[in-house]
């Protein structure tokens, strides 16, 4: 009851001035107010997205591999299967979540999903003593916690922005990337001092204390007093589309192929970059620095690419970014170590930072905000398929050939195919408010 009252009070204070401004019919002032408040929505999304399932479940699992192995005698491969099951289930769940978001709005999906995800993150501390329990919890995270992923936040941002939509998405995704930066030291500190169970409880506490209040009190699906923001802006493709005709369209499968191939090549490299550099004579510290360089490039490029796609045709920006990354993978295939490896990591990070920006931006431009959830869900599933297969293919190739050269050449090739395919995409309508 108190939470409901506080929420209504904050909503009234935030929206009262906006509604009065709306009644004046001063469109320029209304647009300025929307843009101003929209950047607050971006900031909230950036913080909340950094605590998502990708960062807190998938990304953090590696920190628990050794402690779990030491206590229960499980191998690294066995514990890592939890991430595989999580990703597979998430790939199937995301399209369904997308349709729920389109129908009910972002907040109504985000709040229960985020709360459930926090509870599931806390469960290993109390329940896990056998592998099947660990697997079951991660499967449930991929299913019931899927609504806490980036999709609802990106759809909300798309309703608030049109002319600066690319930059807004880029900033939010940059914040999301920061989760991969602060989670390892935070969780490792807790595990070292209090044990792995405390590590899971710490992750759950962050979501309950920070993420849920931010979403509940401050996230708005659309500017108040205007109905749906996509109607106000006459967003291209704004009418709701039936799923079956979409599934039969060439455009959808072009986009599906692009992001599946891209994630296969790039995330295969990401998963094996540190051991690859170690194999080539670099120290473990330097090998980790190469991977850190790639991570920094991801965060920076997400904002930079978002800025570019507001000013230039997004498909051409994608072609250039993807081609540069293919060159970076090619440099690694040639046996790069030392300084060339750092340069290759920067080049690869350019596409790793651009891929989700492009996915969200092109979805909103080709299909409109009304259809964002269902289409983004399908395309994000393609992204997850590539992400799941890439690391395994790299590991298998190393076992067969004794090096990464062959699979790196293959990865460079599929990234080039995805780059060329972007040039074959049709033009999209871009409005300008």
């Amino acid at each position: 009851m108190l939470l409901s009252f506080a929420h209504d009070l904050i909503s009234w204070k935030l929206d009262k001035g906006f509604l009065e401004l709306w009644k004046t019919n001063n469109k320029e002032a209304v647009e300025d107010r929307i843009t101003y408040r929209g950047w607050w929505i971006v900031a909230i999304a950036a913080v909340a997205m950094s605590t998502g399932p990708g960062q807190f479940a998938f990304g953090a699992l590696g920190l628990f591999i050794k402690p779990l192995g030491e206590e229960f005698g499980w191998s690294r491969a066995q514990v890592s299967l939890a991430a595989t099951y999580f990703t597979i289930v998430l790939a199937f769940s995301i399209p369904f979540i997308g349709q729920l978001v389109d129908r009910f709005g972002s907040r109504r999906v985000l709040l229960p999903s985020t709360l459930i995800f926090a509870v599931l993150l806390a469960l290993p501390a109390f329940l896990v003593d056998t592998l099947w329990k660990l697997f079951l919890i991660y499967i449930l995270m991929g299913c019931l916690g899927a609504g806490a992923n980036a999709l609802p936040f990106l759809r909300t941002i798309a309703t608030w922005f049109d002319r600066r939509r690319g930059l807004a998405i880029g900033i939010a995704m940059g914040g999301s990337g920061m989760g991969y930066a602060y989670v390892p030291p935070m969780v490792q500190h807790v595990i070292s001092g209090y044990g792995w169970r405390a590590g899971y409880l710490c992750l759950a506490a962050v979501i309950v204390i920070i993420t849920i209040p931010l979403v509940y009190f401050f996230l708005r699906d659309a500017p108040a007093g205007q109905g749906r923001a996509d109607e106000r802006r006459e967003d291209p493709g704004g009418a709701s589309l039936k799923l079956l005709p979409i599934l039969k369209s060439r455009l959808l499968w072009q986009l599906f192929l692009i992001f599946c191939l891209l994630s296969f090549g790039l995330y295969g490299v990401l998963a094996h970059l540190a051991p690859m550099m170690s194999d080539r004579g670099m120290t473990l510290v330097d090998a980790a620095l190469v991977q850190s360089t790639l991570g920094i490039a991801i965060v920076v490029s997400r904002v930079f690419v978002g800025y570019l796609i507001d000013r230039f045709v997004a498909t051409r920006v994608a072609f250039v970014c993807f081609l540069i990354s293919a060159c970076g993978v090619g440099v690694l295939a040639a046996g790069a170590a030392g300084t060339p490896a750092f340069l290759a990591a920067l080049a690869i990070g350019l596409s790793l930072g651009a891929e989700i920006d492009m996915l969200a931006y092109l979805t909103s431009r080709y299909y409109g905000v009304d259809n964002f959830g269902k289409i983004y869900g399908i395309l994000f599933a393609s992204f997850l398929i590539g992400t799941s297969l890439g690391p395994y293919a790299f590991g298998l190739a190393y076992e067969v050939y004794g090096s990464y050269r062959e699979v790196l050449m293959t990865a460079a090739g599929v990234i080039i195919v995805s780059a060329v395919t972007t040039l074959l995409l049709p033009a999209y309508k871009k409005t300008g408010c």
Side-chain angles (χ1 to χ4, degrees):
M1 186 121 179
L2 285 174
L3 276 176
S4 179
F5 174 76
H7 172 259
D8 292 342
L9 181 63
I10 292 173
S11 298
W12 178 79
K13 285 186 175 181
L14 287 172
D15 296 335
K16 182 183 177 185
F18 182 83
L19 289 170
E20 292 176 352
L21 185 62
W22 176 257
K23 292 175 183 178
T24 67
N25 203 30
N26 186 337
K27 292 185 178 180
E28 185 176 346
V30 168
E31 288 295 340
D32 288 343
R33 181 67 177 269
I34 290 171
T35 300
Y36 172 76
R37 287 193 56 195
W39 290 117
W40 281 105
I41 298 294
V42 171
I44 292 163
V47 174
M49 285 165 63
S50 75
T51 69
Q55 293 83 350
F56 275 33
F58 184 90
L61 181 62
L63 301 166
F64 295 96
I65 288 178
K66 288 188 70 176
L68 289 170
E70 290 170 359
E71 179 163 340
F72 300 110
W74 301 333
S75 71
R76 297 184 183 189
Q78 286 176 316
V79 178
S80 297
L81 275 176
T84 301
Y85 293 140
F86 167 81
T87 306
I88 292 171
V89 173
L90 185 62
F92 283 100
S93 302
I94 282 291
F96 176 68
I97 291 297
Q99 295 189 58
L100 290 180
V101 170
D102 284 340
R103 183 174 179 181
F104 298 108
S106 296
R107 289 183 75 257
R108 292 182 179 179
V109 175
L110 269 170
L111 284 169
S113 294
T114 305
L115 180 60
I116 291 170
F117 178 53
V119 172
L120 290 170
L121 268 177
L123 285 183
F126 305 102
L127 298 182
V128 168
D129 53 12
T130 58
L131 268 174
W132 75 264
K133 291 181 181 178
L134 179 69
F135 294 160
L136 178 60
I137 289 171
Y138 272 80
I139 287 170
L140 291 174
M141 285 182 191
C143 178
L144 302 179
N149 223 297
L151 190 159
F153 293 105
L154 294 175
R155 187 191 188 283
T156 297
I157 290 170
T159 66
W160 280 86
F161 290 88
D162 184 16
R163 184 164 54 86
R164 298 183 182 91
R165 184 179 294 171
L167 180 59
I169 290 173
I171 292 172
M173 290 306 301
S176 170
M178 289 304 296
Y180 292 102
Y182 73 75
V183 166
M186 177 184 74
V187 174
Q188 189 58 58
H189 174 75
V190 174
I191 291 175
S192 298
Y194 306 98
W196 65 267
R197 290 177 176 82
Y200 276 112
L201 292 175
C202 173
L203 291 172
V206 170
I207 293 174
V208 171
I209 295 171
I210 297 176
T211 307
I212 291 177
L214 278 177
V215 172
Y216 184 80
F217 288 113
F218 300 110
L219 191 73
R220 298 290 178 273
D221 284 352
Q226 300 180 37
R228 297 182 55 81
D230 48 310
E231 291 173 359
R232 172 183 58 81
R233 299 177 189 273
E234 299 180 350
D235 208 8
S240 182
L241 302 174
K242 298 294 183 181
L243 186 59
L244 186 58
I246 293 173
L247 291 175
K248 293 180 179 179
S249 70
R250 177 182 175 183
L251 171 61
L252 180 75
W253 294 107
Q254 280 181 284
L255 292 168
F256 193 97
L257 177 68
I258 289 168
F259 292 107
C260 186
L261 292 180
L262 189 67
S263 60
F264 173 87
L266 294 176
Y267 282 84
V269 173
L270 178 63
H272 290 264
L273 187 58
M276 186 190 308
M277 294 299 100
S278 179
D279 290 344
R280 295 177 181 180
M282 296 182 70
T283 65
L284 293 176
V285 173
D286 286 342
L289 281 175
V290 172
Q291 188 151 348
S292 296
T293 300
L294 190 149
I296 293 169
I298 291 173
V299 175
V300 174
S301 68
R302 280 182 173 167
V303 179
F304 181 59
V305 170
Y307 173 85
L308 290 178
I309 59 180
D310 282 333
R311 284 153 180 78
F312 305 99
V313 177
T315 51
R316 295 175 185 173
V317 175
F319 172 75
V320 174
C321 291
F322 299 167
L323 211 56
I324 292 173
S325 285
C327 292
V329 176
V331 170
L332 292 180
T339 301
F342 282 96
L343 295 176
L346 287 172
I348 295 167
L350 184 63
S351 274
L352 275 168
E355 87 288 22
I356 297 295
D357 286 19
M358 290 295 177
L359 196 158
Y361 187 84
L362 292 177
T363 298
S364 69
R365 289 302 182 198
Y366 282 124
Y367 296 99
V369 178
D370 262 340
N371 307 287
F372 184 90
K374 66 169 74 81
I375 304 301
Y376 183 91
I378 293 170
L379 295 179
F380 193 71
S382 76
F383 175 83
L384 290 173
I385 291 170
T387 302
S388 301
L389 295 177
Y392 176 76
F394 269 66
L396 182 62
Y398 182 81
E399 295 297 326
V400 172
Y401 297 106
S403 77
Y404 291 105
R405 182 176 179 273
E406 288 77 11
V407 73
L408 283 167
M409 292 174 64
T410 302
V414 299
I415 294 170
I416 289 172
V417 171
S418 68
V420 172
T421 307
T422 60
L423 291 182
L424 302 178
L425 293 170
Y428 54 82
K429 183 180 178 182
K430 183 174 179 181
T431 56
C433 65

